Amino acid sequence: MEKHRIILVDDHPALRAGVKFLLENDASCEVVGEATDGEQALKLIEQLEADVLILDLSLPHMSGIECIRELKSRNCKIKIVVFTMHSDERYVKEAMQAGASAYVEKQAVDTELIAAVKSAAAGQIYLNPEKSQILLAALLAQPHKTEEKNPYVILSSREREVLKLIVRGYSLGEIGDSLAISVKTVETYKSRLMQKLEFTKKSELIEYAVKYCLLPTTNT
């Protein structure tokens, strides 16, 4: 039997150990990596061959939602199972709209987590039966039109960094020095983000950065 290769992300070691034990008691599951936050998870996904990410929402440094959006901006194929204490429907909607395949509350770990992993790995959506009809109806009624130019959906993290520095007036050379990359690479990122956003002028970038609060705020 080919096992589902899983990366487990939660900042509580004891919980991770318990969940790992539960998963690996099932013959179809293998935990190949563990992380304590979203940034570590992104690095592990690049290093390991895994097909399912089990991800908490409340994480230090980078939240679970931010991690999901970053993975989707990179067109990463790993399936995401959100595993969280949050039961509020708005968290479920936000996670599923961002690109998660399953949503499991931690209190239901014994009965739902393995089923969610198997469903996600098979390319299916898994939600608590009590909420699935309401949430799926809401998602189908409101497609991603409002999110189509959200920088956390359409741009990678490096493209967002380049964008922020461009609108703050940095030259391409200064951006390259700041990010420790070549001017040619900066030009590539700039061209790519302009193409994704369908912009041709710097003024459009500035308006966009203001709209999505990408510019630093100052205290007066």
Side-chain angles (χ1 to χ4, degrees):
M1 176 189 295
E2 186 174 349
K3 293 190 176 185
H4 304 308
R5 293 171 58 83
I6 299 165
I7 294 175
L8 179 59
V9 187
D10 195 288
D11 60 338
H12 294 92
L15 187 143
R16 286 201 316 274
V19 172
K20 181 179 180 180
F21 178 80
L22 173 71
L23 291 167
E24 295 192 335
N25 266 345
D26 188 285
S28 68
C29 297
E30 178 186 7
V31 176
V32 297
E34 299 179 44
T36 60
D37 61 49
E39 292 177 351
Q40 288 183 11
L42 294 176
K43 292 177 182 178
L44 279 181
I45 289 167
E46 292 179 349
Q47 298 167 3
L48 302 173
E49 292 185 6
D51 51 3
V52 178
L53 178 70
I54 297 178
L55 180 69
D56 191 10
L57 292 184
S58 301
L59 296 169
H61 309 305
M62 174 186 281
S63 73
I65 295 293
E66 290 175 320
C67 182
I68 296 170
R69 288 172 172 161
E70 180 60 29
L71 287 170
K72 293 305 173 181
S73 76
R74 299 181 184 185
N75 294 316
C76 185
K77 302 304 181 184
I78 195 167
K79 303 300 182 182
I80 302 165
V81 175
V82 169
F83 182 53
T84 179
M85 62 179 289
H86 296 296
S87 60
D88 192 303
E89 287 184 5
R90 70 184 179 90
Y91 287 103
V92 187
K93 290 179 182 178
E94 189 173 12
M96 302 305 286
Q97 286 175 329
S101 295
Y103 193 102
V104 177
E105 296 172 23
K106 287 184 176 179
Q107 58 264 38
V109 57
D110 292 340
T111 57
E112 294 188 25
L113 186 58
I114 291 176
V117 168
K118 292 179 178 179
S119 293
Q124 301 170 352
I125 298 295
Y126 183 94
L127 289 171
N128 186 304
E130 295 179 1
K131 297 178 179 178
S132 61
Q133 295 302 317
I134 296 172
L135 293 171
L136 285 174
L139 291 170
L140 291 172
Q142 298 180 353
H144 298 289
K145 290 188 294 183
T146 58
E147 291 292 311
E148 61 185 4
K149 283 196 175 180
N150 187 315
Y152 293 97
V153 174
I154 197 171
L155 301 179
S156 69
S157 59
R158 183 47 60 92
E159 287 167 350
R160 292 196 302 273
E161 288 177 323
V162 170
L163 168 60
K164 291 176 185 178
L165 293 173
I166 289 173
V167 298
R168 290 170 62 185
Y170 285 71
S171 69
L172 297 185
E174 289 171 332
I175 294 172
D177 291 341
S178 176
L179 301 179
I181 57 179
S182 69
V183 172
K184 185 176 181 180
T185 302
V186 176
E187 290 174 341
T188 298
Y189 281 120
K190 179 183 177 183
S191 176
R192 189 183 300 163
L193 72 88
M194 293 288 280
Q195 184 176 18
K196 285 183 177 181
L197 297 172
E198 300 179 340
F199 291 160
T200 59
K201 298 180 291 186
K202 183 177 178 180
S203 60
E204 293 175 302
L205 287 179
I206 295 173
E207 291 176 3
Y208 176 82
V210 171
K211 177 180 178 181
Y212 285 100
C213 301
L214 297 177
L215 293 173
T217 57
T218 56
N219 296 322
T220 57

PDB file of all heavy atoms in Angstrom, residues 77-111:
ATOM      1  N   LYS A  77       1.162  21.762  -5.239  1.00  0.00           N
ATOM      2  CA  LYS A  77       0.122  20.745  -5.392  1.00  0.00           C
ATOM      3  C   LYS A  77      -0.221  20.013  -4.100  1.00  0.00           C
ATOM      4  O   LYS A  77      -1.148  19.200  -4.072  1.00  0.00           O
ATOM      5  CB  LYS A  77       0.560  19.712  -6.444  1.00  0.00           C
ATOM      6  CG  LYS A  77       0.868  20.307  -7.812  1.00  0.00           C
ATOM      7  CD  LYS A  77      -0.311  21.091  -8.366  1.00  0.00           C
ATOM      8  CE  LYS A  77       0.009  21.651  -9.748  1.00  0.00           C
ATOM      9  NZ  LYS A  77      -1.088  22.504 -10.265  1.00  0.00           N
ATOM     10  N   ILE A  78       0.494  20.263  -3.016  1.00  0.00           N
ATOM     11  CA  ILE A  78       0.226  19.556  -1.770  1.00  0.00           C
ATOM     12  C   ILE A  78      -1.189  19.860  -1.287  1.00  0.00           C
ATOM     13  O   ILE A  78      -1.678  20.981  -1.406  1.00  0.00           O
ATOM     14  CB  ILE A  78       1.276  19.937  -0.689  1.00  0.00           C
ATOM     15  CG1 ILE A  78       1.236  18.939   0.464  1.00  0.00           C
ATOM     16  CG2 ILE A  78       1.085  21.362  -0.194  1.00  0.00           C
ATOM     17  CD1 ILE A  78       2.442  19.055   1.394  1.00  0.00           C
ATOM     18  N   LYS A  79      -1.880  18.844  -0.770  1.00  0.00           N
ATOM     19  CA  LYS A  79      -3.227  19.012  -0.247  1.00  0.00           C
ATOM     20  C   LYS A  79      -3.158  19.461   1.215  1.00  0.00           C
ATOM     21  O   LYS A  79      -2.320  18.974   1.982  1.00  0.00           O
ATOM     22  CB  LYS A  79      -4.006  17.702  -0.347  1.00  0.00           C
ATOM     23  CG  LYS A  79      -4.088  17.139  -1.762  1.00  0.00           C
ATOM     24  CD  LYS A  79      -4.772  18.098  -2.719  1.00  0.00           C
ATOM     25  CE  LYS A  79      -4.882  17.483  -4.112  1.00  0.00           C
ATOM     26  NZ  LYS A  79      -5.504  18.425  -5.083  1.00  0.00           N
ATOM     27  N   ILE A  80      -4.029  20.381   1.581  1.00  0.00           N
ATOM     28  CA  ILE A  80      -3.943  21.012   2.897  1.00  0.00           C
ATOM     29  C   ILE A  80      -5.146  20.646   3.752  1.00  0.00           C
ATOM     30  O   ILE A  80      -6.293  20.886   3.369  1.00  0.00           O
ATOM     31  CB  ILE A  80      -3.854  22.543   2.755  1.00  0.00           C
ATOM     32  CG1 ILE A  80      -2.642  22.920   1.900  1.00  0.00           C
ATOM     33  CG2 ILE A  80      -3.778  23.205   4.137  1.00  0.00           C
ATOM     34  CD1 ILE A  80      -2.656  24.339   1.407  1.00  0.00           C
ATOM     35  N   VAL A  81      -4.856  20.060   4.919  1.00  0.00           N
ATOM     36  CA  VAL A  81      -5.875  19.751   5.917  1.00  0.00           C
ATOM     37  C   VAL A  81      -5.691  20.716   7.085  1.00  0.00           C
ATOM     38  O   VAL A  81      -4.680  20.655   7.786  1.00  0.00           O
ATOM     39  CB  VAL A  81      -5.757  18.297   6.417  1.00  0.00           C
ATOM     40  CG1 VAL A  81      -6.761  18.038   7.545  1.00  0.00           C
ATOM     41  CG2 VAL A  81      -5.977  17.317   5.278  1.00  0.00           C
ATOM     42  N   VAL A  82      -6.615  21.624   7.252  1.00  0.00           N
ATOM     43  CA  VAL A  82      -6.554  22.540   8.390  1.00  0.00           C
ATOM     44  C   VAL A  82      -6.987  21.775   9.646  1.00  0.00           C
ATOM     45  O   VAL A  82      -8.007  21.080   9.658  1.00  0.00           O
ATOM     46  CB  VAL A  82      -7.469  23.764   8.165  1.00  0.00           C
ATOM     47  CG1 VAL A  82      -7.617  24.572   9.448  1.00  0.00           C
ATOM     48  CG2 VAL A  82      -6.908  24.635   7.053  1.00  0.00           C
ATOM     49  N   PHE A  83      -6.186  21.915  10.705  1.00  0.00           N
ATOM     50  CA  PHE A  83      -6.425  21.192  11.959  1.00  0.00           C
ATOM     51  C   PHE A  83      -6.323  22.209  13.089  1.00  0.00           C
ATOM     52  O   PHE A  83      -5.241  22.643  13.447  1.00  0.00           O
ATOM     53  CB  PHE A  83      -5.381  20.086  12.099  1.00  0.00           C
ATOM     54  CG  PHE A  83      -5.538  19.233  13.315  1.00  0.00           C
ATOM     55  CD1 PHE A  83      -6.742  18.614  13.601  1.00  0.00           C
ATOM     56  CD2 PHE A  83      -4.469  19.032  14.172  1.00  0.00           C
ATOM     57  CE1 PHE A  83      -6.881  17.811  14.729  1.00  0.00           C
ATOM     58  CE2 PHE A  83      -4.592  18.241  15.297  1.00  0.00           C
ATOM     59  CZ  PHE A  83      -5.803  17.625  15.572  1.00  0.00           C
ATOM     60  N   THR A  84      -7.465  22.622  13.625  1.00  0.00           N
ATOM     61  CA  THR A  84      -7.480  23.809  14.474  1.00  0.00           C
ATOM     62  C   THR A  84      -8.507  23.711  15.595  1.00  0.00           C
ATOM     63  O   THR A  84      -9.430  22.888  15.538  1.00  0.00           O
ATOM     64  CB  THR A  84      -7.780  25.049  13.611  1.00  0.00           C
ATOM     65  OG1 THR A  84      -7.813  26.218  14.420  1.00  0.00           O
ATOM     66  CG2 THR A  84      -9.125  24.900  12.898  1.00  0.00           C
ATOM     67  N   MET A  85      -8.344  24.574  16.591  1.00  0.00           N
ATOM     68  CA  MET A  85      -9.323  24.657  17.670  1.00  0.00           C
ATOM     69  C   MET A  85     -10.502  25.548  17.292  1.00  0.00           C
ATOM     70  O   MET A  85     -11.528  25.548  17.958  1.00  0.00           O
ATOM     71  CB  MET A  85      -8.654  25.215  18.929  1.00  0.00           C
ATOM     72  CG  MET A  85      -8.116  26.628  18.769  1.00  0.00           C
ATOM     73  SD  MET A  85      -7.345  27.290  20.263  1.00  0.00           S
ATOM     74  CE  MET A  85      -8.787  27.542  21.276  1.00  0.00           C
ATOM     75  N   HIS A  86     -10.385  26.332  16.214  1.00  0.00           N
ATOM     76  CA  HIS A  86     -11.414  27.303  15.845  1.00  0.00           C
ATOM     77  C   HIS A  86     -12.611  26.611  15.199  1.00  0.00           C
ATOM     78  O   HIS A  86     -12.458  25.911  14.195  1.00  0.00           O
ATOM     79  CB  HIS A  86     -10.849  28.347  14.890  1.00  0.00           C
ATOM     80  CG  HIS A  86      -9.772  29.192  15.493  1.00  0.00           C
ATOM     81  ND1 HIS A  86      -9.991  30.038  16.549  1.00  0.00           N
ATOM     82  CD2 HIS A  86      -8.451  29.300  15.182  1.00  0.00           C
ATOM     83  CE1 HIS A  86      -8.853  30.640  16.870  1.00  0.00           C
ATOM     84  NE2 HIS A  86      -7.911  30.208  16.063  1.00  0.00           N
ATOM     85  N   SER A  87     -13.783  26.843  15.739  1.00  0.00           N
ATOM     86  CA  SER A  87     -14.998  26.244  15.195  1.00  0.00           C
ATOM     87  C   SER A  87     -15.892  27.263  14.494  1.00  0.00           C
ATOM     88  O   SER A  87     -16.866  26.877  13.844  1.00  0.00           O
ATOM     89  CB  SER A  87     -15.801  25.569  16.318  1.00  0.00           C
ATOM     90  OG  SER A  87     -16.161  26.516  17.319  1.00  0.00           O
ATOM     91  N   ASP A  88     -15.555  28.543  14.608  1.00  0.00           N
ATOM     92  CA  ASP A  88     -16.366  29.597  13.995  1.00  0.00           C
ATOM     93  C   ASP A  88     -16.395  29.429  12.477  1.00  0.00           C
ATOM     94  O   ASP A  88     -15.367  29.198  11.837  1.00  0.00           O
ATOM     95  CB  ASP A  88     -15.764  30.962  14.363  1.00  0.00           C
ATOM     96  CG  ASP A  88     -16.700  32.110  14.029  1.00  0.00           C
ATOM     97  OD1 ASP A  88     -17.090  32.216  12.861  1.00  0.00           O
ATOM     98  OD2 ASP A  88     -17.030  32.891  14.930  1.00  0.00           O
ATOM     99  N   GLU A  89     -17.567  29.582  11.888  1.00  0.00           N
ATOM    100  CA  GLU A  89     -17.721  29.378  10.457  1.00  0.00           C
ATOM    101  C   GLU A  89     -16.858  30.320   9.613  1.00  0.00           C
ATOM    102  O   GLU A  89     -16.444  29.963   8.511  1.00  0.00           O
ATOM    103  CB  GLU A  89     -19.190  29.516  10.045  1.00  0.00           C
ATOM    104  CG  GLU A  89     -20.037  28.350  10.484  1.00  0.00           C
ATOM    105  CD  GLU A  89     -21.467  28.454   9.982  1.00  0.00           C
ATOM    106  OE1 GLU A  89     -21.758  29.398   9.210  1.00  0.00           O
ATOM    107  OE2 GLU A  89     -22.286  27.606  10.361  1.00  0.00           O
ATOM    108  N   ARG A  90     -16.569  31.513  10.129  1.00  0.00           N
ATOM    109  CA  ARG A  90     -15.774  32.449   9.322  1.00  0.00           C
ATOM    110  C   ARG A  90     -14.358  31.923   9.111  1.00  0.00           C
ATOM    111  O   ARG A  90     -13.754  32.163   8.054  1.00  0.00           O
ATOM    112  CB  ARG A  90     -15.744  33.836   9.966  1.00  0.00           C
ATOM    113  CG  ARG A  90     -14.959  33.956  11.254  1.00  0.00           C
ATOM    114  CD  ARG A  90     -15.097  35.358  11.845  1.00  0.00           C
ATOM    115  NE  ARG A  90     -14.370  35.510  13.090  1.00  0.00           N
ATOM    116  CZ  ARG A  90     -13.097  35.922  13.156  1.00  0.00           C
ATOM    117  NH1 ARG A  90     -12.444  36.221  12.048  1.00  0.00           N
ATOM    118  NH2 ARG A  90     -12.492  36.046  14.316  1.00  0.00           N
ATOM    119  N   TYR A  91     -13.820  31.182  10.084  1.00  0.00           N
ATOM    120  CA  TYR A  91     -12.502  30.579   9.899  1.00  0.00           C
ATOM    121  C   TYR A  91     -12.564  29.485   8.840  1.00  0.00           C
ATOM    122  O   TYR A  91     -11.655  29.345   8.021  1.00  0.00           O
ATOM    123  CB  TYR A  91     -11.988  29.991  11.220  1.00  0.00           C
ATOM    124  CG  TYR A  91     -11.546  31.015  12.227  1.00  0.00           C
ATOM    125  CD1 TYR A  91     -12.359  31.341  13.315  1.00  0.00           C
ATOM    126  CD2 TYR A  91     -10.313  31.649  12.108  1.00  0.00           C
ATOM    127  CE1 TYR A  91     -11.959  32.286  14.250  1.00  0.00           C
ATOM    128  CE2 TYR A  91      -9.901  32.592  13.038  1.00  0.00           C
ATOM    129  CZ  TYR A  91     -10.734  32.911  14.109  1.00  0.00           C
ATOM    130  OH  TYR A  91     -10.340  33.849  15.036  1.00  0.00           O
ATOM    131  N   VAL A  92     -13.638  28.708   8.878  1.00  0.00           N
ATOM    132  CA  VAL A  92     -13.800  27.643   7.895  1.00  0.00           C
ATOM    133  C   VAL A  92     -13.871  28.232   6.486  1.00  0.00           C
ATOM    134  O   VAL A  92     -13.193  27.779   5.562  1.00  0.00           O
ATOM    135  CB  VAL A  92     -15.069  26.817   8.191  1.00  0.00           C
ATOM    136  CG1 VAL A  92     -15.118  25.605   7.270  1.00  0.00           C
ATOM    137  CG2 VAL A  92     -15.107  26.370   9.644  1.00  0.00           C
ATOM    138  N   LYS A  93     -14.684  29.267   6.320  1.00  0.00           N
ATOM    139  CA  LYS A  93     -14.837  29.897   5.006  1.00  0.00           C
ATOM    140  C   LYS A  93     -13.505  30.459   4.517  1.00  0.00           C
ATOM    141  O   LYS A  93     -13.123  30.274   3.354  1.00  0.00           O
ATOM    142  CB  LYS A  93     -15.888  31.008   5.071  1.00  0.00           C
ATOM    143  CG  LYS A  93     -17.307  30.516   5.244  1.00  0.00           C
ATOM    144  CD  LYS A  93     -18.271  31.695   5.323  1.00  0.00           C
ATOM    145  CE  LYS A  93     -19.695  31.223   5.534  1.00  0.00           C
ATOM    146  NZ  LYS A  93     -20.647  32.351   5.658  1.00  0.00           N
ATOM    147  N   GLU A  94     -12.792  31.156   5.415  1.00  0.00           N
ATOM    148  CA  GLU A  94     -11.533  31.774   5.008  1.00  0.00           C
ATOM    149  C   GLU A  94     -10.507  30.720   4.593  1.00  0.00           C
ATOM    150  O   GLU A  94      -9.805  30.876   3.593  1.00  0.00           O
ATOM    151  CB  GLU A  94     -10.972  32.627   6.146  1.00  0.00           C
ATOM    152  CG  GLU A  94      -9.785  33.483   5.736  1.00  0.00           C
ATOM    153  CD  GLU A  94      -9.343  34.451   6.813  1.00  0.00           C
ATOM    154  OE1 GLU A  94      -9.805  34.323   7.968  1.00  0.00           O
ATOM    155  OE2 GLU A  94      -8.535  35.340   6.498  1.00  0.00           O
ATOM    156  N   ALA A  95     -10.441  29.624   5.362  1.00  0.00           N
ATOM    157  CA  ALA A  95      -9.474  28.566   5.058  1.00  0.00           C
ATOM    158  C   ALA A  95      -9.799  27.881   3.738  1.00  0.00           C
ATOM    159  O   ALA A  95      -8.911  27.648   2.903  1.00  0.00           O
ATOM    160  CB  ALA A  95      -9.451  27.542   6.185  1.00  0.00           C
ATOM    161  N   MET A  96     -11.082  27.589   3.518  1.00  0.00           N
ATOM    162  CA  MET A  96     -11.465  26.892   2.295  1.00  0.00           C
ATOM    163  C   MET A  96     -11.325  27.802   1.076  1.00  0.00           C
ATOM    164  O   MET A  96     -10.911  27.361   0.011  1.00  0.00           O
ATOM    165  CB  MET A  96     -12.902  26.367   2.417  1.00  0.00           C
ATOM    166  CG  MET A  96     -13.129  25.410   3.593  1.00  0.00           C
ATOM    167  SD  MET A  96     -12.019  23.987   3.609  1.00  0.00           S
ATOM    168  CE  MET A  96     -12.705  23.014   2.272  1.00  0.00           C
ATOM    169  N   GLN A  97     -11.663  29.078   1.241  1.00  0.00           N
ATOM    170  CA  GLN A  97     -11.490  30.022   0.135  1.00  0.00           C
ATOM    171  C   GLN A  97     -10.017  30.215  -0.208  1.00  0.00           C
ATOM    172  O   GLN A  97      -9.664  30.437  -1.363  1.00  0.00           O
ATOM    173  CB  GLN A  97     -12.147  31.351   0.479  1.00  0.00           C
ATOM    174  CG  GLN A  97     -13.667  31.299   0.413  1.00  0.00           C
ATOM    175  CD  GLN A  97     -14.311  32.599   0.870  1.00  0.00           C
ATOM    176  OE1 GLN A  97     -13.787  33.307   1.726  1.00  0.00           O
ATOM    177  NE2 GLN A  97     -15.461  32.914   0.310  1.00  0.00           N
ATOM    178  N   ALA A  98      -9.154  30.138   0.816  1.00  0.00           N
ATOM    179  CA  ALA A  98      -7.715  30.292   0.571  1.00  0.00           C
ATOM    180  C   ALA A  98      -7.146  29.106  -0.199  1.00  0.00           C
ATOM    181  O   ALA A  98      -6.153  29.247  -0.906  1.00  0.00           O
ATOM    182  CB  ALA A  98      -6.975  30.463   1.890  1.00  0.00           C
ATOM    183  N   GLY A  99      -7.785  27.926  -0.049  1.00  0.00           N
ATOM    184  CA  GLY A  99      -7.314  26.776  -0.810  1.00  0.00           C
ATOM    185  C   GLY A  99      -7.156  25.479  -0.047  1.00  0.00           C
ATOM    186  O   GLY A  99      -6.608  24.508  -0.578  1.00  0.00           O
ATOM    187  N   ALA A 100      -7.642  25.414   1.202  1.00  0.00           N
ATOM    188  CA  ALA A 100      -7.575  24.163   1.958  1.00  0.00           C
ATOM    189  C   ALA A 100      -8.516  23.125   1.360  1.00  0.00           C
ATOM    190  O   ALA A 100      -9.524  23.457   0.732  1.00  0.00           O
ATOM    191  CB  ALA A 100      -7.938  24.407   3.422  1.00  0.00           C
ATOM    192  N   SER A 101      -8.186  21.854   1.559  1.00  0.00           N
ATOM    193  CA  SER A 101      -9.030  20.756   1.089  1.00  0.00           C
ATOM    194  C   SER A 101      -9.894  20.177   2.201  1.00  0.00           C
ATOM    195  O   SER A 101     -10.881  19.491   1.918  1.00  0.00           O
ATOM    196  CB  SER A 101      -8.170  19.634   0.509  1.00  0.00           C
ATOM    197  OG  SER A 101      -7.498  20.066  -0.652  1.00  0.00           O
ATOM    198  N   ALA A 102      -9.518  20.433   3.448  1.00  0.00           N
ATOM    199  CA  ALA A 102     -10.264  19.860   4.574  1.00  0.00           C
ATOM    200  C   ALA A 102     -10.122  20.749   5.794  1.00  0.00           C
ATOM    201  O   ALA A 102      -9.148  21.497   5.929  1.00  0.00           O
ATOM    202  CB  ALA A 102      -9.767  18.450   4.886  1.00  0.00           C
ATOM    203  N   TYR A 103     -11.098  20.648   6.674  1.00  0.00           N
ATOM    204  CA  TYR A 103     -11.097  21.454   7.900  1.00  0.00           C
ATOM    205  C   TYR A 103     -11.563  20.554   9.037  1.00  0.00           C
ATOM    206  O   TYR A 103     -12.690  20.053   9.018  1.00  0.00           O
ATOM    207  CB  TYR A 103     -12.038  22.646   7.739  1.00  0.00           C
ATOM    208  CG  TYR A 103     -11.906  23.716   8.809  1.00  0.00           C
ATOM    209  CD1 TYR A 103     -11.220  24.899   8.548  1.00  0.00           C
ATOM    210  CD2 TYR A 103     -12.481  23.552  10.067  1.00  0.00           C
ATOM    211  CE1 TYR A 103     -11.104  25.881   9.505  1.00  0.00           C
ATOM    212  CE2 TYR A 103     -12.368  24.542  11.040  1.00  0.00           C
ATOM    213  CZ  TYR A 103     -11.679  25.711  10.753  1.00  0.00           C
ATOM    214  OH  TYR A 103     -11.568  26.693  11.711  1.00  0.00           O
ATOM    215  N   VAL A 104     -10.686  20.342  10.020  1.00  0.00           N
ATOM    216  CA  VAL A 104     -10.994  19.456  11.143  1.00  0.00           C
ATOM    217  C   VAL A 104     -10.727  20.194  12.449  1.00  0.00           C
ATOM    218  O   VAL A 104      -9.664  20.796  12.610  1.00  0.00           O
ATOM    219  CB  VAL A 104     -10.135  18.172  11.092  1.00  0.00           C
ATOM    220  CG1 VAL A 104     -10.415  17.282  12.300  1.00  0.00           C
ATOM    221  CG2 VAL A 104     -10.399  17.407   9.802  1.00  0.00           C
ATOM    222  N   GLU A 105     -11.689  20.152  13.361  1.00  0.00           N
ATOM    223  CA  GLU A 105     -11.499  20.746  14.683  1.00  0.00           C
ATOM    224  C   GLU A 105     -10.725  19.767  15.572  1.00  0.00           C
ATOM    225  O   GLU A 105     -10.925  18.553  15.495  1.00  0.00           O
ATOM    226  CB  GLU A 105     -12.846  21.095  15.293  1.00  0.00           C
ATOM    227  CG  GLU A 105     -13.596  22.150  14.502  1.00  0.00           C
ATOM    228  CD  GLU A 105     -15.017  22.360  15.015  1.00  0.00           C
ATOM    229  OE1 GLU A 105     -15.274  22.030  16.194  1.00  0.00           O
ATOM    230  OE2 GLU A 105     -15.855  22.837  14.234  1.00  0.00           O
ATOM    231  N   LYS A 106      -9.863  20.297  16.420  1.00  0.00           N
ATOM    232  CA  LYS A 106      -8.976  19.446  17.212  1.00  0.00           C
ATOM    233  C   LYS A 106      -9.734  18.511  18.152  1.00  0.00           C
ATOM    234  O   LYS A 106      -9.255  17.414  18.446  1.00  0.00           O
ATOM    235  CB  LYS A 106      -7.988  20.313  17.995  1.00  0.00           C
ATOM    236  CG  LYS A 106      -6.917  20.924  17.101  1.00  0.00           C
ATOM    237  CD  LYS A 106      -5.889  21.709  17.888  1.00  0.00           C
ATOM    238  CE  LYS A 106      -4.790  22.226  16.962  1.00  0.00           C
ATOM    239  NZ  LYS A 106      -3.768  23.028  17.677  1.00  0.00           N
ATOM    240  N   GLN A 107     -10.899  18.936  18.606  1.00  0.00           N
ATOM    241  CA  GLN A 107     -11.657  18.061  19.499  1.00  0.00           C
ATOM    242  C   GLN A 107     -12.207  16.837  18.784  1.00  0.00           C
ATOM    243  O   GLN A 107     -12.653  15.886  19.416  1.00  0.00           O
ATOM    244  CB  GLN A 107     -12.799  18.826  20.183  1.00  0.00           C
ATOM    245  CG  GLN A 107     -13.794  19.463  19.236  1.00  0.00           C
ATOM    246  CD  GLN A 107     -13.465  20.916  18.972  1.00  0.00           C
ATOM    247  OE1 GLN A 107     -12.290  21.271  18.868  1.00  0.00           O
ATOM    248  NE2 GLN A 107     -14.479  21.766  18.883  1.00  0.00           N
ATOM    249  N   ALA A 108     -12.155  16.850  17.439  1.00  0.00           N
ATOM    250  CA  ALA A 108     -12.660  15.709  16.664  1.00  0.00           C
ATOM    251  C   ALA A 108     -11.516  14.894  16.067  1.00  0.00           C
ATOM    252  O   ALA A 108     -11.720  14.132  15.116  1.00  0.00           O
ATOM    253  CB  ALA A 108     -13.586  16.198  15.553  1.00  0.00           C
ATOM    254  N   VAL A 109     -10.323  15.010  16.637  1.00  0.00           N
ATOM    255  CA  VAL A 109      -9.145  14.382  16.056  1.00  0.00           C
ATOM    256  C   VAL A 109      -9.315  12.878  15.905  1.00  0.00           C
ATOM    257  O   VAL A 109      -8.942  12.292  14.885  1.00  0.00           O
ATOM    258  CB  VAL A 109      -7.883  14.711  16.882  1.00  0.00           C
ATOM    259  CG1 VAL A 109      -8.024  14.279  18.332  1.00  0.00           C
ATOM    260  CG2 VAL A 109      -6.645  14.083  16.253  1.00  0.00           C
ATOM    261  N   ASP A 110      -9.880  12.199  16.888  1.00  0.00           N
ATOM    262  CA  ASP A 110      -9.975  10.741  16.851  1.00  0.00           C
ATOM    263  C   ASP A 110     -10.884  10.242  15.736  1.00  0.00           C
ATOM    264  O   ASP A 110     -10.658   9.174  15.169  1.00  0.00           O
ATOM    265  CB  ASP A 110     -10.477  10.196  18.191  1.00  0.00           C
ATOM    266  CG  ASP A 110      -9.464  10.392  19.305  1.00  0.00           C
ATOM    267  OD1 ASP A 110      -8.276  10.584  18.983  1.00  0.00           O
ATOM    268  OD2 ASP A 110      -9.861  10.358  20.481  1.00  0.00           O
ATOM    269  N   THR A 111     -11.920  11.006  15.426  1.00  0.00           N
ATOM    270  CA  THR A 111     -12.928  10.518  14.485  1.00  0.00           C
ATOM    271  C   THR A 111     -12.792  11.080  13.077  1.00  0.00           C
ATOM    272  O   THR A 111     -13.278  10.466  12.132  1.00  0.00           O
ATOM    273  CB  THR A 111     -14.341  10.853  14.999  1.00  0.00           C
ATOM    274  OG1 THR A 111     -14.430  12.276  15.202  1.00  0.00           O
ATOM    275  CG2 THR A 111     -14.621  10.141  16.317  1.00  0.00           C
TER     276      THR A 111
END
